[in-house]
Amino acid sequence: MSKVEDFLTAAQEQEIVAAIRSAEKTTSGEIRVHIEKHTDLDVLERTYELFHFLKMDNTIQRNGVLIYVAVEDKSFAIYGDQGINAVVPENFWKSTRDIILNKFKEGDFTQGLVDGILVAGEQLQHYFPWDHGDINELSDEISKG
């Protein structure tokens, strides 16, 4: 499986988008997923680069989260904006990463992303609870490169 288009079906993409919407109902944090075929960069460096390219650093509370997947490289990373990193413990993303990784190892990419997104939302609500004035600042759709 080397093509981005073959990584997820349309129905699987909609499951992931639904998970993002569900997670964002309890937090003002903004979660996105980006999938691409390959990166020549270190996976975390590429995630950081995409984070800025997708303008995820423009949220009011600087609480955006990007889950990046490089399909051919069989790698992924999670990047949280400075507003998150300023208030959470150092290993904040470890449990989310482990949940995704375990499902990916089983070949269940959709469930790995869904579970990771939902856990990220649960964790973020402690630091960035949803408020009646919150608006969805970033697209919930999966971006592809």
Side-chain angles (χ1 to χ4, degrees):
M1 172 191 337
S2 62
K3 293 183 179 177
V4 173
E5 298 81 26
D6 296 334
F7 185 65
L8 300 169
T9 66
Q12 289 169 324
E13 286 189 26
Q14 288 312 303
E15 278 184 66
I16 293 165
V17 170
I20 292 169
R21 290 180 178 146
S22 177
E24 289 181 356
K25 285 182 181 177
T26 62
T27 180
S28 62
E30 296 284 338
I31 302 170
R32 290 202 67 185
V33 173
H34 183 88
I35 300 169
E36 64 185 10
K37 181 177 178 180
H38 165 75
T39 180
D40 290 324
L41 300 174
D42 170 78
V43 69
L44 192 54
E45 189 177 327
R46 178 62 177 151
T47 307
Y48 177 77
E49 181 179 84
L50 282 165
F51 190 88
H52 295 288
F53 177 77
L54 296 170
K55 300 187 183 330
M56 293 187 63
D57 49 357
N58 290 342
T59 61
I60 293 168
Q61 296 183 49
R62 299 294 304 262
N63 59 354
V65 177
L66 178 61
I67 300 173
Y68 167 76
V69 180
V71 176
E72 267 189 6
D73 304 332
K74 297 182 179 177
S75 61
F76 75 96
I78 304 166
Y79 181 82
D81 204 352
Q82 68 184 27
I84 295 171
N85 294 331
V87 297
V88 300
E90 188 173 321
N91 288 329
F92 182 75
W93 296 114
K94 184 182 180 327
S95 61
T96 303
R97 183 200 68 214
D98 291 348
I99 286 168
I100 295 171
L101 181 60
N102 289 334
K103 290 294 183 181
F104 276 20
K105 285 181 179 178
E106 295 172 6
D108 196 344
F109 304 108
T110 304
Q111 198 60 53
L113 290 169
V114 166
D115 291 352
I117 290 163
L118 294 175
V119 166
E122 288 172 17
Q123 292 176 330
L124 285 171
Q125 76 179 359
H126 299 293
Y127 300 93
F128 299 95
W130 184 85
D131 183 60
H132 290 288
D134 286 339
I135 58 167
N136 192 7
E137 297 179 79
L138 300 173
S139 172
D140 296 333
E141 298 301 315
I142 296 171
S143 57
K144 298 176 185 170

